[in-house]
Amino acid sequence: MNVVGANITKIRLDKGLKQKELLAKLQSEGMEITGSCLSKIEGQTKMVTDKDLLIIAKALGVKPEDLL
């Protein structure tokens, strides 16, 4: 279980991004991730590494601590 998944979803929705749009941003930042993996992260069933947290924060345009 992860604690950031719900925050990722909330921020993504607040910014009007679809999951596919966030996925494309993450992939363009060099993160190797699939749609299924992103769904699991947002569903809080897949852990997020520190490196991934930094990439997700950058893609969403927020500070890493905003995801915590």
Side-chain angles (χ1 to χ4, degrees), residues 15 17 20-31 55 58-61:
K15 292 184 174 278
L17 291 173
K20 285 185 178 184
E21 293 170 319
L22 176 56
L23 181 63
K25 285 182 171 224
L26 294 172
Q27 291 170 337
S28 73
E29 291 291 339
M31 187 173 176
I55 294 170
K58 184 176 180 183
L60 288 171

Side-chain angles (χ1 to χ4, degrees), residues 34-60:
T34 63
S36 174
C37 185
L38 179 56
S39 291
K40 288 177 182 178
I41 290 171
E42 288 192 354
Q44 298 178 296
T45 59
K46 179 167 176 29
M47 298 298 293
V48 177
T49 66
D50 293 344
K51 179 182 175 185
D52 290 345
L53 182 76
L54 294 173
I55 294 170
I56 293 167
K58 184 176 180 183
L60 288 171

Side-chain angles (χ1 to χ4, degrees), residues 3-19:
V3 296
V4 300
N7 291 334
I8 292 169
T9 302
K10 181 184 180 319
I11 293 168
R12 176 179 62 77
L13 293 174
D14 287 348
K15 292 184 174 278
L17 291 173
K18 294 180 182 178
Q19 227 179 30

